[in-house]
Amino acid sequence: MTPTLRLVALAAGLALATGAQAQQAPIKIGLMLPATGTFAALGDMIEKGFKLYVQEQGGKLAGRELQYFRVDDESDPSKAIDNVGKLIKRDNVDVLVGTVHSGVALAMAKAAKESNTLLVIPNAGAGDITGPLCSANIVRSSFSNWQPGYAMGIVAGQKGVKRAMTITWNYAAGAETVKGFTEGLERGGGKVIKDLNLPFPGVEFQALLTEIASQKPDAVYAFFAGGAAVKFVKDYAAAGLSKTIPLYGPGFLTDGTIPAQGEAAQGLLTTSNYADNLDTPRNNAFRKSFALTYKANADVYAVQGYDAAQILAAGLNAVKGDLAKRDQMTSAMRKVVVDSPRGKFTISPAGNPVQDFYLREVKGNYNEFRSVAVKALADPARGCKM
Ligand code: BEZ
């Protein structure tokens, strides 16, 4: 063999070896979720759901092992840039999965856009992420904050609500869910007479509940989640308001919280992309598998984590695990019809689920399906230019 031929053979061998190694190396997944604070339980369920789907695929996606890197984001937007930087720069992850809190997720989306890292969002509904910040490398498996709010506004309008008040935290998710509710209610001829706010993650509700009592609206729309939702629902009942002023909310008000809320939650109506007792083979199999694996009941957060893994798998399967084929992968993640425990859904060009929203009622320990509030609801994706 001539020296030139030997060099060519050597280079080809090296290329093959590098390619094979790349195929075998685990895909690095950066889980940025809350492990502490008022949303800790939500983060835990998302992670469990994500890992359950992977486990059901034999522990691999598109034939590749996954290696997890975790950061507790504490639902603290002021630490978000540092936290996401640890995953992108220090750990060099291939895919970011997170998070719950919209303010933290906005920082993640900006970092993902700048570094062109793939980001799958399993909860946070910040409208800007699938609005002005939309990007081919970002997709959400959950909802936009506007969606469940709008669905509940439609339901409230159908129930004849003319004067409503809203109460929530003063941050992106609160403002956006209230906007959705207001738009839905106005379509039915009602209006919001006053919006009440407190800083995140505050739970000092007394003064605001007194104001609700004095205004006597036809209904109250409240967005709180996790530990704060437990306290709000109990305080609302303890103030005697539940007897006279119906309390409505997006599903988060009673998702994963009913045992702790006890009697105060019974009969509450909420709107969500999931209901615990959807009697479909897909949901029944999912709930059984979740219960067997974790000895706990699944909730909407677990579903959204599970579906985040499904969407990622759709992308990876389309490129046989080759992350270098980025465009092909991200386009497959947009084209997938997700066979979710919530029911099948598609992804909009902006990267947000187009999905049914259900009216649910709390009965015992479950958010039970009552009706489809709005079918195939798409977020307006205002300001998204792809
Ligand atoms: C959010 O910040 O987007 C959010 C947090 C908890 C539940 C739902 C939405």
Side-chain angles (χ1 to χ4, degrees), residues 39 42 100-103 123-126 143 145 171 173 223 225 252 301:
F39 291 160
L42 287 62
V100 171
H101 184 288
S102 275
N123 186 74
F143 52 83
N145 292 316
Y171 82 110
F223 161 62
F252 322 114
Y301 307 109

Side-chain angles (χ1 to χ4, degrees), residues 39 42 75 99-105 123-127 140 142-145 148 169 171-174 176-177 200 223-226 250-253 301 304:
F39 291 160
L42 287 62
S75 296
T99 186
V100 171
H101 184 288
S102 275
V104 178
N123 186 74
R140 186 149 51 196
S142 50
F143 52 83
S144 75
N145 292 316
W169 284 305
Y171 82 110
E176 291 168 3
T177 193
F200 178 87
F223 161 62
F224 297 104
F252 322 114
L253 198 60
Y301 307 109
Q304 292 170 172

Side-chain angles (χ1 to χ4, degrees), residues 179-196:
K179 190 169 171 19
F181 176 75
T182 306
E183 278 182 42
L185 182 64
E186 285 176 352
R187 284 194 66 162
K191 66 172 186 192
V192 171
I193 56 164
K194 188 149 194 188
D195 295 321
L196 303 176

Side-chain angles (χ1 to χ4, degrees), residues 254-294:
T254 56
D255 276 311
T257 53
I258 302 173
Q261 289 163 332
E263 202 41 45
Q266 295 305 308
L268 283 186
L269 296 178
T270 59
T271 42
S272 172
N273 53 6
Y274 184 62
D276 296 322
N277 69 333
L278 290 176
D279 192 13
T280 60
R282 187 73 178 103
N283 188 41
N284 292 335
F286 164 75
R287 291 190 74 88
K288 192 169 167 197
S289 169
F290 191 94
L292 278 173
T293 307
Y294 300 115

Side-chain angles (χ1 to χ4, degrees), residues 120-122 139-144 147 273-274 278 282 300 302-312 314 332-348 351-358 375-378:
V120 187
I121 302 171
V139 64
R140 186 149 51 196
S141 66
S142 50
F143 52 83
S144 75
Q147 285 178 306
N273 53 6
Y274 184 62
L278 290 176
R282 187 73 178 103
V300 68
V303 171
Q304 292 170 172
Y306 188 84
D307 291 342
Q310 291 213 64
I311 294 170
L312 178 60
M333 289 168 78
R334 286 283 199 285
K335 284 193 193 120
V336 61
V337 178
V338 184
D339 189 8
S340 168
R342 75 185 87 167
K344 289 192 176 157
F345 70 88
T346 55
I347 309 277
S348 71
N352 195 66
V354 179
Q355 57 194 333
D356 293 347
F357 277 82
Y358 307 120
K375 219 171 159 44
L377 182 61

